[in-house]
Amino acid sequence: MYCFQKILDFEEILNLLRGEILGNIEKFNEIADRYDTPERAEIAKIIADKIKKYIINGSEKDAIDYGCGTGLVGMELVVEFRSLLFVDASSNMVDQVKNKIILANIQNADVLCCDFEEQSSIELRADYIIVAQTLLHIKEIKPVLSRLFEILNKGGHLLIVDFDKNNSIVSDEVHSGFDREELADILKKIGFLNVYSETFYKGSKMFMNQDASLFILDAVK
């Protein structure tokens, strides 16, 4: 669910997750209060700036930031939407976002601690769902993507940002990125239309000490 910009940051979290399954909530709870770093804030700003280019009439739209972590990306996007709901399975991560909302006196945002991997029925609706470096930590992505499809209003947009597939990365803790064509095929089978994606950022040693690139994918319901 979260951005890892430098190998030391990534190794810190892998040490916490060692021997555990993808997306271990308890371990992310442990690092919530020290998750924010200048490096993560910098890449979050880059991601948010790219997402903004895909938002149409956002002031009339309701959005969800799924797998929001500490809200580094979503806090950059609050002013773009009528409302923004921050959702994460880690209660401590959600608490971090809640504190930021209170301190900034933001009126159009709220938080929800919820795990879409476990929750079979979700009473939420949105025009935009943002999933920024979240799929990377979800073991079975299709069920979660299907739930996101259900939540979206007709004509709504699912905006995914994650790493492009890197076959040199082998890990039991995270996916090695995603093949955009394979991901688009999964989304189309679920029912999404007009799937478009592009690589927009490349960095040195971004992902498990490997050079990596980030893509954005826009899928319309």
Side-chain angles (χ1 to χ4, degrees):
M1 300 177 187
Y2 314 102
C3 301
F4 303 125
Q5 282 70 59
K6 291 187 176 180
I7 185 62
L8 291 178
D9 291 332
F10 195 85
E11 287 179 342
E12 176 187 21
I13 294 177
L14 287 190
N15 286 336
L16 287 169
L17 292 174
R18 196 69 61 191
E20 304 291 339
I21 63 172
L22 290 171
N24 187 290
I25 297 169
E26 291 182 3
K27 301 305 179 182
F28 283 115
N29 277 333
E30 291 181 20
I31 63 172
D33 61 353
R34 53 194 171 93
Y35 180 78
D36 288 3
T37 64
E39 293 81 13
R40 288 195 177 106
E42 180 181 359
I43 197 68
K45 180 69 163 54
I46 291 170
I47 291 172
D49 285 345
K50 188 63 180 182
I51 289 174
K52 289 176 184 177
K53 297 179 180 179
Y54 283 77
I55 299 170
I56 303 171
N57 297 326
S59 62
E60 302 173 3
K61 305 295 174 62
D62 301 311
I64 292 173
D65 180 1
Y66 179 64
C68 63
T70 60
L72 286 174
V73 173
M75 290 296 287
E76 297 282 343
L77 299 172
V78 168
V79 297
E80 302 294 324
F81 295 106
R82 177 170 58 194
S83 71
L84 179 58
L85 179 66
F86 291 84
V87 180
D88 201 283
S90 164
S91 59
N92 287 358
M93 290 286 190
V94 169
D95 285 343
Q96 293 290 318
V97 182
K98 186 175 181 179
N99 289 337
K100 291 178 181 179
I101 291 172
I102 293 171
L103 287 173
N105 194 29
I106 296 171
Q107 301 298 313
N108 67 325
D110 205 346
V111 300
L112 175 66
C113 185
C114 183
D115 186 352
F116 287 9
E117 291 183 80
E118 301 294 333
Q119 195 96 2
S120 58
S121 179
I122 302 167
E123 298 298 325
L124 294 173
R125 290 293 180 269
D127 303 298
Y128 280 86
I129 299 179
I130 298 157
V131 187
Q133 291 188 302
T134 298
L135 292 187
L136 193 69
H137 302 272
I138 296 176
K139 190 171 185 179
E140 299 293 337
I141 66 170
K142 187 173 181 180
V144 172
L145 292 173
S146 296
R147 291 188 182 103
L148 297 179
F149 178 81
E150 295 170 2
I151 291 169
L152 272 176
N153 293 323
K154 186 176 180 181
H157 293 253
L158 173 65
L159 298 176
I160 297 172
V161 176
D162 223 312
F163 287 114
D164 285 305
K165 182 76 172 179
N166 189 335
N167 290 323
S168 64
I169 294 173
V170 179
S171 172
D172 293 330
E173 281 78 28
V174 294
H175 293 285
S176 56
F178 296 95
D179 181 296
R180 289 190 283 130
E181 291 186 4
E182 292 179 1
L183 183 55
D185 186 59
I186 292 172
L187 291 165
K188 289 176 182 177
K189 288 179 179 177
I190 290 172
F192 282 98
L193 306 172
N194 304 324
V195 180
Y196 171 81
S197 65
E198 62 172 314
T199 295
F200 70 95
Y201 182 80
K202 296 181 180 180
S204 175
K205 298 184 178 181
M206 284 178 65
F207 185 18
M208 296 188 72
N209 210 26
Q210 300 288 330
D211 294 352
S213 59
L214 287 168
F215 69 85
I216 186 167
L217 181 149
D218 180 12
V220 182
K221 180 174 178 178

